[in-house]
Amino acid sequence: RRFRWLQIHESCPSIIEMRPAFISKAKSDKLHLKVDSVPDDSTSKYFCSFGLISLLTETDDNNNDKPIYISNAIKYDNYIICYSPPPETLSNINYDSIIIRLFYNDIILTEKNVTFYDCSSYLTCTSCMNNSFGCTWQLLTATCIDRDLVTEKNEMIINNSLINQCPRY
């Protein structure tokens, strides 16, 4: 009964789309994974695991890969929803991408490389504004932060549409 869904699907499960497409290292975020060919079983458990090494390709490192973070997940229509790792989990990771794995009970269904970004790594206003992530420049502290982390409405910030207002030194 547990593998009955495998007999009715013609393809292996795969992550077709992920929203957001890039994940900030500064905050945990809800991930919406659009998945093809996933079992629809209300008694089963889904979860997302984040690691550094692919488990679906055979390498000598497979046995050494411990998950960085594991999130419970729920299935909603063609989506699996889980959370990205919290900032403290990623603080010592020096990679721009890690692998998200989707599990069904204890079975790995699929995995995908995920790009993480760190707005604080941009040291100038122009570099902060010229990336494809959700970064914004704080004038008073001269730092680049994730747009979602701006706390005050009156905060002196420069967003992508105002790049020409970046200070010139």
Side-chain angles (χ1 to χ4, degrees), residues 28-47:
S28 182
D29 211 348
K30 186 187 285 188
L31 305 178
H32 297 263
L33 308 171
K34 187 172 185 178
V35 184
D36 190 24
S37 302
V38 171
D40 197 9
D41 182 355
S42 61
T43 63
S44 297
K45 294 184 179 175
Y46 298 94
F47 64 94

PDB file of all heavy atoms in Angstrom, residues 28-47:
ATOM      1  N   SER A  28      14.310  33.025   8.187  1.00  0.00           N
ATOM      2  CA  SER A  28      13.642  31.801   7.753  1.00  0.00           C
ATOM      3  C   SER A  28      12.429  32.208   6.941  1.00  0.00           C
ATOM      4  O   SER A  28      11.769  33.193   7.257  1.00  0.00           O
ATOM      5  CB  SER A  28      13.223  30.978   8.967  1.00  0.00           C
ATOM      6  OG  SER A  28      12.614  29.779   8.560  1.00  0.00           O
ATOM      7  N   ASP A  29      12.165  31.485   5.875  1.00  0.00           N
ATOM      8  CA  ASP A  29      11.084  31.870   4.972  1.00  0.00           C
ATOM      9  C   ASP A  29      10.228  30.657   4.635  1.00  0.00           C
ATOM     10  O   ASP A  29      10.722  29.537   4.586  1.00  0.00           O
ATOM     11  CB  ASP A  29      11.684  32.442   3.679  1.00  0.00           C
ATOM     12  CG  ASP A  29      10.812  33.504   3.040  1.00  0.00           C
ATOM     13  OD1 ASP A  29       9.641  33.650   3.441  1.00  0.00           O
ATOM     14  OD2 ASP A  29      11.312  34.182   2.134  1.00  0.00           O
ATOM     15  N   LYS A  30       8.944  30.899   4.406  1.00  0.00           N
ATOM     16  CA  LYS A  30       8.054  29.836   3.969  1.00  0.00           C
ATOM     17  C   LYS A  30       8.340  29.544   2.499  1.00  0.00           C
ATOM     18  O   LYS A  30       8.369  30.451   1.678  1.00  0.00           O
ATOM     19  CB  LYS A  30       6.594  30.240   4.137  1.00  0.00           C
ATOM     20  CG  LYS A  30       5.617  29.116   3.822  1.00  0.00           C
ATOM     21  CD  LYS A  30       4.181  29.576   3.825  1.00  0.00           C
ATOM     22  CE  LYS A  30       3.677  29.798   5.214  1.00  0.00           C
ATOM     23  NZ  LYS A  30       2.225  30.053   5.240  1.00  0.00           N
ATOM     24  N   LEU A  31       8.590  28.285   2.184  1.00  0.00           N
ATOM     25  CA  LEU A  31       8.888  27.883   0.813  1.00  0.00           C
ATOM     26  C   LEU A  31       7.694  27.157   0.222  1.00  0.00           C
ATOM     27  O   LEU A  31       7.111  26.283   0.866  1.00  0.00           O
ATOM     28  CB  LEU A  31      10.101  26.951   0.781  1.00  0.00           C
ATOM     29  CG  LEU A  31      11.378  27.472   1.422  1.00  0.00           C
ATOM     30  CD1 LEU A  31      12.464  26.411   1.347  1.00  0.00           C
ATOM     31  CD2 LEU A  31      11.822  28.747   0.745  1.00  0.00           C
ATOM     32  N   HIS A  32       7.341  27.509  -0.996  1.00  0.00           N
ATOM     33  CA  HIS A  32       6.276  26.844  -1.733  1.00  0.00           C
ATOM     34  C   HIS A  32       6.942  26.077  -2.872  1.00  0.00           C
ATOM     35  O   HIS A  32       7.451  26.691  -3.810  1.00  0.00           O
ATOM     36  CB  HIS A  32       5.274  27.861  -2.285  1.00  0.00           C
ATOM     37  CG  HIS A  32       4.560  28.627  -1.219  1.00  0.00           C
ATOM     38  ND1 HIS A  32       3.323  28.276  -0.764  1.00  0.00           N
ATOM     39  CD2 HIS A  32       4.933  29.705  -0.504  1.00  0.00           C
ATOM     40  CE1 HIS A  32       2.953  29.113   0.178  1.00  0.00           C
ATOM     41  NE2 HIS A  32       3.916  29.989   0.354  1.00  0.00           N
ATOM     42  N   LEU A  33       6.941  24.776  -2.762  1.00  0.00           N
ATOM     43  CA  LEU A  33       7.571  23.934  -3.775  1.00  0.00           C
ATOM     44  C   LEU A  33       6.490  23.327  -4.652  1.00  0.00           C
ATOM     45  O   LEU A  33       5.659  22.547  -4.173  1.00  0.00           O
ATOM     46  CB  LEU A  33       8.375  22.804  -3.120  1.00  0.00           C
ATOM     47  CG  LEU A  33       9.385  23.222  -2.049  1.00  0.00           C
ATOM     48  CD1 LEU A  33       9.944  22.004  -1.353  1.00  0.00           C
ATOM     49  CD2 LEU A  33      10.483  24.048  -2.668  1.00  0.00           C
ATOM     50  N   LYS A  34       6.466  23.704  -5.922  1.00  0.00           N
ATOM     51  CA  LYS A  34       5.533  23.092  -6.858  1.00  0.00           C
ATOM     52  C   LYS A  34       6.177  21.780  -7.301  1.00  0.00           C
ATOM     53  O   LYS A  34       7.276  21.770  -7.851  1.00  0.00           O
ATOM     54  CB  LYS A  34       5.267  23.990  -8.055  1.00  0.00           C
ATOM     55  CG  LYS A  34       4.182  23.441  -8.953  1.00  0.00           C
ATOM     56  CD  LYS A  34       3.803  24.428 -10.022  1.00  0.00           C
ATOM     57  CE  LYS A  34       2.635  23.877 -10.813  1.00  0.00           C
ATOM     58  NZ  LYS A  34       2.193  24.824 -11.829  1.00  0.00           N
ATOM     59  N   VAL A  35       5.478  20.691  -7.029  1.00  0.00           N
ATOM     60  CA  VAL A  35       6.068  19.374  -7.225  1.00  0.00           C
ATOM     61  C   VAL A  35       5.199  18.540  -8.155  1.00  0.00           C
ATOM     62  O   VAL A  35       3.978  18.562  -8.073  1.00  0.00           O
ATOM     63  CB  VAL A  35       6.237  18.657  -5.867  1.00  0.00           C
ATOM     64  CG1 VAL A  35       6.933  17.330  -6.024  1.00  0.00           C
ATOM     65  CG2 VAL A  35       7.006  19.533  -4.895  1.00  0.00           C
ATOM     66  N   ASP A  36       5.864  17.834  -9.039  1.00  0.00           N
ATOM     67  CA  ASP A  36       5.196  16.956  -9.985  1.00  0.00           C
ATOM     68  C   ASP A  36       5.284  15.522  -9.483  1.00  0.00           C
ATOM     69  O   ASP A  36       6.322  15.104  -8.972  1.00  0.00           O
ATOM     70  CB  ASP A  36       5.894  17.082 -11.345  1.00  0.00           C
ATOM     71  CG  ASP A  36       5.125  16.394 -12.450  1.00  0.00           C
ATOM     72  OD1 ASP A  36       3.901  16.229 -12.312  1.00  0.00           O
ATOM     73  OD2 ASP A  36       5.763  16.027 -13.452  1.00  0.00           O
ATOM     74  N   SER A  37       4.213  14.777  -9.616  1.00  0.00           N
ATOM     75  CA  SER A  37       4.171  13.341  -9.295  1.00  0.00           C
ATOM     76  C   SER A  37       4.480  13.026  -7.835  1.00  0.00           C
ATOM     77  O   SER A  37       5.317  12.182  -7.527  1.00  0.00           O
ATOM     78  CB  SER A  37       5.150  12.564 -10.190  1.00  0.00           C
ATOM     79  OG  SER A  37       4.847  12.752 -11.532  1.00  0.00           O
ATOM     80  N   VAL A  38       3.808  13.702  -6.923  1.00  0.00           N
ATOM     81  CA  VAL A  38       3.989  13.433  -5.496  1.00  0.00           C
ATOM     82  C   VAL A  38       2.798  12.645  -4.978  1.00  0.00           C
ATOM     83  O   VAL A  38       1.656  12.932  -5.336  1.00  0.00           O
ATOM     84  CB  VAL A  38       4.144  14.751  -4.704  1.00  0.00           C
ATOM     85  CG1 VAL A  38       4.110  14.502  -3.218  1.00  0.00           C
ATOM     86  CG2 VAL A  38       5.436  15.420  -5.083  1.00  0.00           C
ATOM     87  N   PRO A  39       3.045  11.643  -4.154  1.00  0.00           N
ATOM     88  CA  PRO A  39       1.949  10.846  -3.613  1.00  0.00           C
ATOM     89  C   PRO A  39       0.970  11.691  -2.809  1.00  0.00           C
ATOM     90  O   PRO A  39       1.377  12.620  -2.125  1.00  0.00           O
ATOM     91  CB  PRO A  39       2.642   9.827  -2.721  1.00  0.00           C
ATOM     92  CG  PRO A  39       4.015  10.331  -2.508  1.00  0.00           C
ATOM     93  CD  PRO A  39       4.341  11.241  -3.636  1.00  0.00           C
ATOM     94  N   ASP A  40      -0.296  11.370  -2.934  1.00  0.00           N
ATOM     95  CA  ASP A  40      -1.341  12.074  -2.206  1.00  0.00           C
ATOM     96  C   ASP A  40      -1.908  11.116  -1.174  1.00  0.00           C
ATOM     97  O   ASP A  40      -2.849  10.378  -1.447  1.00  0.00           O
ATOM     98  CB  ASP A  40      -2.415  12.540  -3.187  1.00  0.00           C
ATOM     99  CG  ASP A  40      -3.296  13.609  -2.588  1.00  0.00           C
ATOM    100  OD1 ASP A  40      -2.973  14.097  -1.487  1.00  0.00           O
ATOM    101  OD2 ASP A  40      -4.293  13.959  -3.223  1.00  0.00           O
ATOM    102  N   ASP A  41      -1.299  11.126  -0.019  1.00  0.00           N
ATOM    103  CA  ASP A  41      -1.650  10.164   1.022  1.00  0.00           C
ATOM    104  C   ASP A  41      -1.772  10.913   2.347  1.00  0.00           C
ATOM    105  O   ASP A  41      -0.787  11.408   2.880  1.00  0.00           O
ATOM    106  CB  ASP A  41      -0.553   9.097   1.094  1.00  0.00           C
ATOM    107  CG  ASP A  41      -0.836   8.016   2.110  1.00  0.00           C
ATOM    108  OD1 ASP A  41      -1.842   8.125   2.850  1.00  0.00           O
ATOM    109  OD2 ASP A  41      -0.057   7.068   2.170  1.00  0.00           O
ATOM    110  N   SER A  42      -2.965  11.014   2.873  1.00  0.00           N
ATOM    111  CA  SER A  42      -3.198  11.812   4.074  1.00  0.00           C
ATOM    112  C   SER A  42      -2.554  11.221   5.327  1.00  0.00           C
ATOM    113  O   SER A  42      -2.396  11.904   6.327  1.00  0.00           O
ATOM    114  CB  SER A  42      -4.700  11.990   4.305  1.00  0.00           C
ATOM    115  OG  SER A  42      -5.301  10.728   4.479  1.00  0.00           O
ATOM    116  N   THR A  43      -2.174   9.957   5.294  1.00  0.00           N
ATOM    117  CA  THR A  43      -1.557   9.343   6.470  1.00  0.00           C
ATOM    118  C   THR A  43      -0.036   9.471   6.476  1.00  0.00           C
ATOM    119  O   THR A  43       0.611   9.110   7.440  1.00  0.00           O
ATOM    120  CB  THR A  43      -1.916   7.845   6.552  1.00  0.00           C
ATOM    121  OG1 THR A  43      -1.365   7.187   5.407  1.00  0.00           O
ATOM    122  CG2 THR A  43      -3.416   7.641   6.618  1.00  0.00           C
ATOM    123  N   SER A  44       0.529   9.991   5.411  1.00  0.00           N
ATOM    124  CA  SER A  44       1.976  10.083   5.307  1.00  0.00           C
ATOM    125  C   SER A  44       2.490  11.431   5.776  1.00  0.00           C
ATOM    126  O   SER A  44       1.747  12.402   5.857  1.00  0.00           O
ATOM    127  CB  SER A  44       2.419   9.858   3.863  1.00  0.00           C
ATOM    128  OG  SER A  44       2.073   8.559   3.481  1.00  0.00           O
ATOM    129  N   LYS A  45       3.783  11.471   6.066  1.00  0.00           N
ATOM    130  CA  LYS A  45       4.425  12.701   6.512  1.00  0.00           C
ATOM    131  C   LYS A  45       5.428  13.158   5.463  1.00  0.00           C
ATOM    132  O   LYS A  45       6.183  12.364   4.926  1.00  0.00           O
ATOM    133  CB  LYS A  45       5.140  12.481   7.842  1.00  0.00           C
ATOM    134  CG  LYS A  45       4.180  12.194   8.957  1.00  0.00           C
ATOM    135  CD  LYS A  45       4.890  12.082  10.270  1.00  0.00           C
ATOM    136  CE  LYS A  45       3.849  11.818  11.354  1.00  0.00           C
ATOM    137  NZ  LYS A  45       4.446  11.584  12.643  1.00  0.00           N
ATOM    138  N   TYR A  46       5.397  14.449   5.199  1.00  0.00           N
ATOM    139  CA  TYR A  46       6.349  15.075   4.297  1.00  0.00           C
ATOM    140  C   TYR A  46       7.281  15.941   5.121  1.00  0.00           C
ATOM    141  O   TYR A  46       6.880  16.520   6.121  1.00  0.00           O
ATOM    142  CB  TYR A  46       5.628  15.966   3.277  1.00  0.00           C
ATOM    143  CG  TYR A  46       4.673  15.226   2.391  1.00  0.00           C
ATOM    144  CD1 TYR A  46       3.323  15.127   2.708  1.00  0.00           C
ATOM    145  CD2 TYR A  46       5.121  14.613   1.228  1.00  0.00           C
ATOM    146  CE1 TYR A  46       2.439  14.444   1.879  1.00  0.00           C
ATOM    147  CE2 TYR A  46       4.246  13.934   0.393  1.00  0.00           C
ATOM    148  CZ  TYR A  46       2.908  13.850   0.734  1.00  0.00           C
ATOM    149  OH  TYR A  46       2.043  13.177  -0.079  1.00  0.00           O
ATOM    150  N   PHE A  47       8.515  16.047   4.690  1.00  0.00           N
ATOM    151  CA  PHE A  47       9.416  17.018   5.290  1.00  0.00           C
ATOM    152  C   PHE A  47      10.501  17.411   4.309  1.00  0.00           C
ATOM    153  O   PHE A  47      10.769  16.719   3.336  1.00  0.00           O
ATOM    154  CB  PHE A  47       9.984  16.556   6.636  1.00  0.00           C
ATOM    155  CG  PHE A  47      10.852  15.338   6.598  1.00  0.00           C
ATOM    156  CD1 PHE A  47      12.231  15.454   6.498  1.00  0.00           C
ATOM    157  CD2 PHE A  47      10.304  14.066   6.708  1.00  0.00           C
ATOM    158  CE1 PHE A  47      13.035  14.330   6.484  1.00  0.00           C
ATOM    159  CE2 PHE A  47      11.101  12.941   6.697  1.00  0.00           C
ATOM    160  CZ  PHE A  47      12.484  13.081   6.581  1.00  0.00           C
TER     161      PHE A  47
END
